[in-house]
Amino acid sequence: MTESSLRERPPRTDPVLARWRNAVFTIFALSGFVFANWAARVPNIRDILGASTQEMGILILGLSAGAILGLVASSHVITHLGVNRAIRWFLATAAVGLIAAGLIAGFAPGFWLLFAALAIAGAGNSVLDVAMNVAGAANERRIGKTLMPMYHAGFSVGTMLGAGTGALTEQLGVPVEAHLTAVGLLVIAVDLWVVRFLQPAEEPHEAEPGEAAGWRGRLSAWSDPRILLIGLIILGMAFTEGTANDWLGLAMVDGYGLTNPGGAAVFAVFVTAMTAGRFFGGAALDRFGRVPVLAGSAFLAFGGLLLVIIGPTAPIAIAGSVLWGVGASLGFPVGMSAAADDPRKATANVAAVATIGYLAFLVGPPLIGLLGDQAGLRKAFLVVLVLVAVALICSPAARKPKGLTAAE
């Protein structure tokens, strides 16, 4: 090896930081895996319950309602438990909710029991969401590289694997209770193993004059205009991503005549495209910056949605789902990274923008379900285009404040 090649070789990441990075990536993947296994079985569970599209929208609202309750409490819970303990306990809570949903659907189908199980899963996943984003931001700062899109790519890897698992179990006729129980137990086992590699994410700091302490300080994020605008970016892009997660498979079944396994497969195509966008998004962000990348993502999502809505054939709609997936890929990670720019307030700021973003998951399912009952799911997707435009308009708020350096 020549001297010049040695000089060009990038410095090796500290092994402790590398294990921490890999653990965060795995936790993101487990979160996506839990959700996607549920989402891939939605058509089957609709058939078990004999529910209408509107009723399924209300049922999926259980996930969102639990998520909102978890997010409201998340900054306080995480401050009390610590980031790493919160990750351990609330990833397990999400897995328990998935197991309960599978057992209820398989052995005692009941609409409101299933709603409650999904609320438990949603609450667990929302607290986990804030904690793992704070851990990811801390690891990113320590390593000194743009890593947040890769962490969210981990979530997409999990959703891709979960969607593939769901499509396969649907095709093989595996009972939903056996499928979701096995997935939940696997997630709990991996959770207990991987959290051992996490490092402390908290950033100690001295309070500045006039800075509120305790819960009042954590609530101050809600009076920061920049944080609220970042929340609107996440609201629009989360609605875009969440609509595909909740309804794309069913829209392909009802709107284009695909089978249930075919609808699950199109959902897998969407999350695969989103995964690719997140893996390559870091390079785009480093080269062009947050604002141009967010704008480009919004345009791609807009175009892909239009193809799914007005496409005359299933292949054109599937192509649209690819553009939709790429366009939806970076809104959430860029927004979370922007919210965590100030490490002293990262937990409170991430919790605030995540709460705003999760309103999409609260309002979205019943709204799309209601409109889908009246006009069809494809036409109901027109609502999403408006929120994509909101995210585009607010995108300048994601620019890093001049007062913060990369080392802060």
Side-chain angles (χ1 to χ4, degrees):
M1 185 175 294
T2 66
E3 184 178 346
S4 61
S5 64
L6 285 172
R7 286 197 303 266
E8 294 170 0
R9 190 173 181 179
R12 184 170 179 265
T13 302
D14 182 286
V16 173
L17 296 180
R19 287 192 290 270
W20 182 12
R21 176 197 62 203
N22 297 341
V24 173
F25 182 91
T26 302
I27 290 161
F28 270 84
L30 289 172
S31 176
F33 189 68
V34 167
F35 174 78
N37 274 280
W38 153 259
R41 298 306 293 261
V42 165
N44 181 239
I45 291 174
R46 188 268 304 265
D47 295 343
I48 290 173
L49 296 176
S52 67
T53 301
Q54 183 176 355
E55 287 171 334
M56 287 303 295
I58 296 172
L59 180 64
I60 296 171
L61 178 63
L63 275 171
S64 304
I68 292 295
L69 291 175
L71 284 169
V72 169
S74 61
S75 66
H76 313 297
V77 170
I78 294 169
T79 300
H80 176 70
L81 290 178
V83 172
N84 296 345
R85 288 178 64 196
I87 288 173
R88 177 189 295 113
W89 286 107
F90 286 94
L91 177 53
T93 300
V96 168
L98 183 71
I99 292 170
L103 294 176
I104 291 167
F107 294 115
F111 187 89
W112 293 111
L113 283 176
L114 195 52
F115 183 98
L118 293 176
I120 292 171
N125 195 64
S126 64
V127 178
L128 170 67
D129 196 355
V130 174
M132 69 187 186
N133 274 284
V134 173
N139 179 256
E140 183 180 55
R141 287 192 297 271
R142 290 281 300 277
I143 290 179
K145 295 180 181 178
T146 302
L147 296 174
M148 194 64 84
M150 186 195 71
Y151 296 137
H152 284 263
F155 181 89
S156 296
V157 167
T159 58
M160 182 173 62
L161 292 174
T165 301
L168 180 61
T169 55
E170 186 78 66
Q171 182 67 44
L172 296 177
V174 177
V176 68
E177 65 272 17
H179 167 211
L180 298 186
T181 298
V183 167
L185 292 175
L186 174 65
V187 168
I188 291 171
V190 178
D191 171 30
L192 295 176
W193 173 73
V194 77
V195 294
R196 299 180 303 156
F197 302 106
L198 298 174
Q199 298 298 312
E202 289 78 8
E203 298 277 355
H205 75 285
E206 296 183 2
E208 298 177 359
E211 181 180 349
W215 65 269
R216 289 185 177 85
R218 293 190 289 274
L219 290 178
S220 66
W222 291 93
S223 62
D224 186 334
R226 176 176 179 263
I227 294 302
L228 296 179
L229 289 173
I230 292 171
L232 290 178
I233 295 171
I234 290 184
L235 175 68
M237 300 310 286
F239 201 104
T240 305
E241 179 181 345
T243 296
N245 290 337
D246 291 334
W247 296 110
L248 179 58
L250 203 55
M252 296 303 296
V253 170
D254 293 349
Y256 288 96
L258 299 187
T259 62
N260 284 356
V266 174
F267 174 59
V269 168
F270 169 84
V271 295
T272 301
M274 193 162 62
T275 302
R278 286 175 172 169
F279 268 120
F280 295 105
L285 287 164
D286 286 339
R287 182 171 182 181
F288 301 109
R290 289 175 180 168
V291 177
V293 170
L294 277 175
S297 297
F299 280 118
L300 284 177
F302 193 97
L305 268 163
L306 280 180
L307 289 179
V308 172
I309 294 167
I310 66 175
T313 64
I316 291 177
I318 293 170
S321 72
V322 173
L323 294 178
W324 186 354
V326 174
S329 64
L330 293 178
F332 212 92
V334 171
M336 288 293 189
S337 185
D341 276 339
D342 185 348
R344 300 167 302 175
K345 302 176 181 178
T347 298
N349 289 348
V350 168
V353 300
T355 301
I356 296 171
Y358 268 79
L359 289 175
F361 300 119
L362 179 65
V363 175
L367 176 61
I368 297 296
L370 176 62
L371 295 176
D373 253 3
Q374 301 299 317
L377 283 173
R378 290 163 63 186
K379 291 183 179 178
F381 289 171
L382 290 169
V383 174
V384 187
L385 298 180
V386 177
L387 292 174
V388 173
V390 170
L392 175 61
I393 292 169
C394 295
S395 60
R399 185 176 290 110
K400 192 176 182 70
K402 293 181 180 179
L404 293 175
T405 67
E408 278 186 307

